[in-house]
Amino acid sequence: MKYSMTTVSWVLICAALVFFMQAGFALCEAGLTRAKNTGNILMKNMMDFCIGTPCFWLVGFGLMFGGTGALIGHFDPLILGKYTAANSVVPQNMPLWCYVIFQTVFCATAATIVSGSMAERTNFKAYCIYSAAISLLVYPISGHWIWGGGWLGQLGFHDFAGSTCVHMVGGIIACLGAAMLGPRIGKYGKDGKARAIPGHSMTACALGVFILWFCWFGFNGGSTVAMDTNANAASASIVFMNTNLAAAVATVVAMIFTWVRYGKPDVSMTFNAALAGLVAITAPCDAVTPVGAFFIGLVAGFIVVLSVEFFDNVAKIDDPVGAVSVHMVNGIWGTIAVGLFSTGADGVGKGLFYGGGVHQLGVQALGVVSVAVYVLVIMFVVFKIIDKTVGLRVPAQIEIDGLDIHEHGLASAYSGFAISDVTDMGLEANENTDLGEDEYEKATPAQIDAAVKVTKEPELVSGGPVEAHKVVIICRLSKFDALKRALNQLGVSGMTIIQVMGCGIQKGSTERYRGATVDSTLLPKVKVEVVVSSIPVDDVIETAKKALFTGHIGDGKIFVYDVHRVVKVRTGEEGPKALMDVE
């Protein structure tokens, strides 16, 4: 048999791109969860691919593509059977193993979606078991209905690259698993309100999303499974265009929507929206125009935000990374969108907005419901069996300490780095911390004292006169350079600087993370210590006040201590001379 080298090269390259999505999922998921679970997250994203690959080879591929029966393919261990045009839908313009590896990376993608929603409290053994179950039974059978010649495909159900087959399946399992696990410790207060548990690295999250976006061109574009004719080239081109446009529009919409809704554009939600747009366009990307892709992305940008809020605040399903909203909700939306926006290209029935009536829309809705029911029933049984045997969730103390140390013996995924759980790094003054004046020269002494408080506390050391004063200044990190310059100009040349975390009641804090109010009050601060003798301590205080003052609560605090004895170690000098660096 003569194969198309262009097609084979195209499919293999796209398979490699889809494999690299595992890196994107790993980074995105790790970034949106806490540092103490990073090693566990990375292990899960590695192992679901490595477990899924042999499972799909042993059983899954045969069940999905072995024959054209309505409900299930053939049991074909190790893929030893013949897959011809007469007995399967496997393309004949490429070697069988080319198509197998392409479908394998898709199967692994469905399995990895589940990891994010169940993060930070799932037993690692349980994860390995249900990851295998997804690749062995769940994905292959529902996939057969859609792509393997099964009954949904025969009805005309259209899912070009997997909004339902991959993303909705993974998203439904993610939703069910998160619901059965229950929320993370501390996610909900006694009043039932959701608390924000911010991820530890927006950098990792962003890099993961960029990788996923890049790889999605292989995910959607490669689903042409051919590149040997002008028609194939045209199809791949419109798929690329629609994929990019929908993702971009969804991202912009979510940015604006969260900006209006929360007062500031939400970073993690905006990045989630990019993935939501990609998921939504995956089913209809070959059958819609760029105009249709624009509106599909526009709706995706809105519904991902509203969905995250719904599952957090109404359904009370704790989904740390938004996998349910991105993959399940937008997988459903993308599948339904075929029945609305399809232009009738590539033999797909026309959508409602293009004069096709409700037929295609009804077929798409039937596919969503039937796949959802099948996946929910099978995975409920799987989760229940796992829970009764090895246990689905880790004990509370393990969850509190972090899965890395208990599940993997990894003290930290960031050995050598200082990790601070700062959940409100960007908190600045808001309307309730304004003390009435933001210019030092115009402010009254009372306003200055309220913003930069000074406390004089005599050192509890008996005997001897006061030789010097130690001034301890706690201030905003952003104000340190101004303070240092001002003190240097005053003549203060020696100072000790320590980065610390300040904790205080920040009145009126309304910062949000993924729609939930952030209630932590830890703020990055700098602690500056200087000891002065010849320089009047009051001059140091006034200089510091002037440098630090913005007119808002949290400008800083100054503590003054009496120093009864100063000794320079190098020379043995004591008193004021010990503070001088002159030889």
Side-chain angles (χ1 to χ4, degrees), residues 35-39 42 200 404-405 409-419:
K36 64 184 180 181
N37 299 308
T38 301
L42 301 179
H200 81 281
D404 284 4
I405 184 64
L410 183 66
S412 172
Y414 297 95
S415 181
F417 290 83
I419 302 294

Side-chain angles (χ1 to χ4, degrees), residues 208-221:
V209 171
F210 282 122
I211 290 173
L212 287 167
W213 193 327
F214 171 69
C215 294
W216 226 287
F217 291 118
F219 194 90
N220 286 359

